Amino acid sequence: MKAEIIAVGTELLVGQIVNTNARYLSEELNAIGVDVYYHTVVGDNLERMKAAFETAHRRSDLVVVTGGLGPTQDDVTKEALAAFTGRSLLIHEPSLKKIEHYFTSRGIVMTENNVRQAHTLEHALVLPNDNGMAIGVALVHESTRWLLLPGPPREMQTMFANYARAWIMEQMGETTSLYSTTLKFSGIGESSIETELLDLIENQSDPTIAPYAKEGEVALRISTKAADREQAERKTAPVVAEIRARLGDYLYAERDIPIEQAVVELLQRTNRSVSVAESCTGGLLAELITSIPGCSQVFAGGIVSYSAKAKIEQLDVHPETIRMHGTVSAETAESMAKGCLRRFGTDFAMAVTGVAGPGEIEGKPPGTVFIAVADRSGARVYDLRLSGDREIIRMRAAKAVLYRLWERLRSQSEQEC
Ligand code: ATP
């Protein structure tokens, strides 16, 4: 099946937002064996949209369109497909009732334009929106399959995963479904993982192994087609076991969660607490931890000590340490972590100090970062040389110290077992 993705939205054309929907859909379609040949972006304009549909219809078996399903006048994707296919727009009554209920239950008067969000097309399948109001649409016109999905990524992804994927597979005549397991790694780069698993990746056919890198984390998705989850697990288990044997030191989860969630869960399980002392990450580490629900059981707080004065006054870093070694040094990182541990009285403290760039600090180039993890027995410091721009360096530094804490917690809990 040859597919094309059309993202609708003038914001995309003027560069206000990035077309992340196309990336997500390409990844998902490729995973189920659909080849994506084109990405198109078109503004919120009925005529240009119809022209884009005409082109897609000629060259693709499947066209996935995102955006323009909302209530406002510029949301005309359904109108454009109705005009192109010569089908009428209809109101899907159960969806309209859901939308009306949303407004009445909040005591808000529903404006007439919201009815548009319940529009479907003649002879189309309605795809429910579990995270919003605008419904999606699936239909076959002549020999082309069409899917209209909402623009907001959260709504689009849920609709794809819950309804659209199964519809595509049905259209492809698949009697099996695709099952995936995600393994998450930290403390190791994507290329090192690939090198370690080269033979498995090169000889893969079923299950397939696909690596995806994010800042400070790598995901490996192991996918297989099977009649049910049990059969899928039987097929993937030997591959997962082999990967675990080779890369177990870096494998922090066998599901798609960020390293901060693995750390919070491990702290909860072992009944331990943590605090943070941050310089170049400026609160990012605390932000990552507090994005995990339930972190209040284990996270005491943090200190953003950006200046040398703040490091001395807030974290008891000795002025002599800074004078001798600089604010970006192993000694300062160690002292920050120990000071943080004392101030908060937690079981662990993490510290980060470094040069996020673009300029040098104390003659040290961007990417020079020292991280430390302290507990009552002392502190361990790690010297990192990170690449990337300011934002990437800060994220990699935060993820690196989380990985070091996870490593420490895991080895302690293994010893206790
Ligand atoms: P709404 O009900 O919010 O109007 P919609 O289906 O009409 O939903 P759009 O109005 O096109 O969708 O987009 C809504 C928002 O969704 C955009 O402002 C943007 O934040 C996000 N969005 C839309 N398309 C994309 C895309 N291709 N990639 C990433 N984000 C997108």
Side-chain angles (χ1 to χ4, degrees):
M1 198 180 248
K2 285 183 294 184
E4 166 155 4
I5 297 163
I6 302 182
V8 175
T10 305
E11 315 101 285
L12 292 158
L13 287 179
V14 297
Q16 257 169 19
I17 55 167
V18 178
N19 188 4
T20 57
N21 283 352
R23 191 190 59 186
Y24 170 86
L25 287 167
S26 274
E27 218 173 278
E28 294 296 323
L29 291 171
N30 275 297
I32 55 171
V34 175
D35 297 320
V36 179
Y37 282 10
Y38 301 96
H39 281 185
T40 301
V41 176
V42 61
D44 301 298
N45 174 286
L46 193 76
E47 292 310 317
R48 286 192 284 276
M49 227 183 271
K50 272 162 50 186
F53 290 178
E54 173 87 54
T55 308
H57 182 73
R58 274 201 310 271
R59 64 189 182 189
S60 302
D61 306 312
L62 169 70
V63 186
V64 185
V65 187
T66 75
L69 306 190
T72 56
Q73 285 304 315
D74 62 354
D75 292 321
V76 289
T77 304
K78 284 174 185 166
E79 280 82 350
L81 191 62
F84 170 67
T85 56
R87 298 182 190 211
S88 312
L89 283 175
L90 310 169
I91 292 174
H92 185 246
E93 289 298 335
S95 302
L96 181 60
K97 286 209 168 60
K98 192 182 139 195
I99 296 169
E100 285 168 347
H101 177 258
Y102 171 87
F103 284 98
T104 48
S105 65
R106 285 164 178 77
I108 308 169
V109 178
M110 181 180 125
T111 53
E112 194 51 34
N113 57 1
N114 279 290
V115 174
R116 296 158 64 93
Q117 303 200 84
H119 274 166
T120 179
L121 276 79
E122 258 182 308
H123 311 301
L125 179 74
V126 167
L127 306 179
N129 189 335
D130 295 339
N131 278 334
M133 281 189 272
I135 55 172
V137 166
L139 60 86
V140 183
H141 176 66
E142 295 168 359
S143 56
T144 310
R145 282 109 183 132
W146 290 82
L147 270 173
L148 304 188
L149 305 177
R154 215 169 69 90
E155 296 180 31
M156 187 277 294
Q157 290 177 17
T158 308
M159 193 179 285
F160 185 87
N162 292 354
Y163 309 104
R165 185 195 284 132
W167 182 78
I168 297 169
M169 297 194 59
E170 195 184 294
Q171 293 295 315
M172 291 163 77
E174 284 288 352
T175 50
T176 52
S177 296
L178 186 85
Y179 292 91
S180 297
T181 305
T182 301
L183 307 182
K184 288 295 296 276
F185 301 86
S186 193
I188 183 168
E190 188 186 13
S191 55
S192 306
I193 289 192
E194 246 177 39
T195 309
E196 289 293 326
L197 303 179
L198 203 59
D199 55 325
L200 297 182
I201 292 172
E202 276 180 356
N203 299 322
Q204 64 176 337
S205 58
D206 182 21
T208 57
I209 306 168
Y212 304 95
K214 290 184 184 164
E215 292 327 325
E217 291 171 8
V218 181
L220 266 191
R221 190 151 66 169
I222 324 290
S223 308
T224 188
K225 282 182 188 164
D228 54 38
R229 182 157 289 283
E230 218 173 288
Q231 188 191 31
E233 275 166 16
R234 269 200 309 278
K235 285 170 80 179
T236 50
V239 179
V240 172
E242 182 59 31
I243 295 171
R244 212 185 281 128
R246 295 189 195 186
L247 295 168
D249 288 348
Y250 310 98
L251 176 61
Y252 69 81
E254 295 192 10
R255 65 204 155 104
D256 196 1
I257 59 168
I259 181 74
E260 51 275 18
Q261 185 171 340
V263 166
V264 167
E265 289 178 4
L266 204 42
L267 286 165
Q268 285 170 334
R269 249 200 329 275
T270 52
N271 204 16
R272 299 224 163 75
S273 58
V274 71
S275 52
V276 299
E278 302 186 62
S279 187
C280 64
T281 46
L284 178 61
L285 189 51
E287 157 62 19
L288 291 174
I289 296 170
T290 54
S291 70
I292 306 302
C295 68
S296 58
Q297 289 167 34
V298 299
F299 181 58
I303 292 172
V304 178
S305 54
Y306 216 61
S307 66
K309 187 166 176 275
K311 289 178 181 63
I312 295 163
E313 287 174 4
Q314 306 293 322
L315 291 165
D316 312 320
V317 176
H318 205 284
E320 197 56 19
T321 305
I322 292 179
R323 201 185 59 76
M324 298 251 311
H325 306 284
T327 53
V328 179
S329 62
E331 291 76 5
T332 298
E334 178 174 350
S335 186
M336 285 168 67
K338 287 180 172 170
C340 186
L341 195 78
R342 272 194 307 276
R343 291 266 170 151
F344 284 95
T346 45
D347 298 303
F348 295 96
M350 291 183 272
V352 189
T353 180
V355 189
E360 292 187 343
I361 294 178
E362 299 163 354
K364 290 160 191 151
T368 310
V369 177
F370 295 90
I371 57 174
V373 175
D375 64 12
R376 282 162 211 160
S377 67
R380 275 192 75 168
V381 185
Y382 307 85
D383 176 350
L384 312 176
R385 301 293 137 127
L386 303 174
S387 57
D389 63 17
R390 187 172 173 84
E391 205 183 324
I392 293 174
I393 289 173
R394 282 153 40 88
M395 184 57 84
R396 287 185 175 165
K399 294 279 184 176
V401 73
L402 283 161
Y403 166 70
R404 290 301 178 184
L405 175 58
W406 174 83
E407 187 184 50
R408 177 86 65 95
L409 281 162
R410 197 187 60 154
S411 82
Q412 284 188 3
S413 67
E414 275 171 5
Q415 278 164 20
E416 282 161 20
C417 285

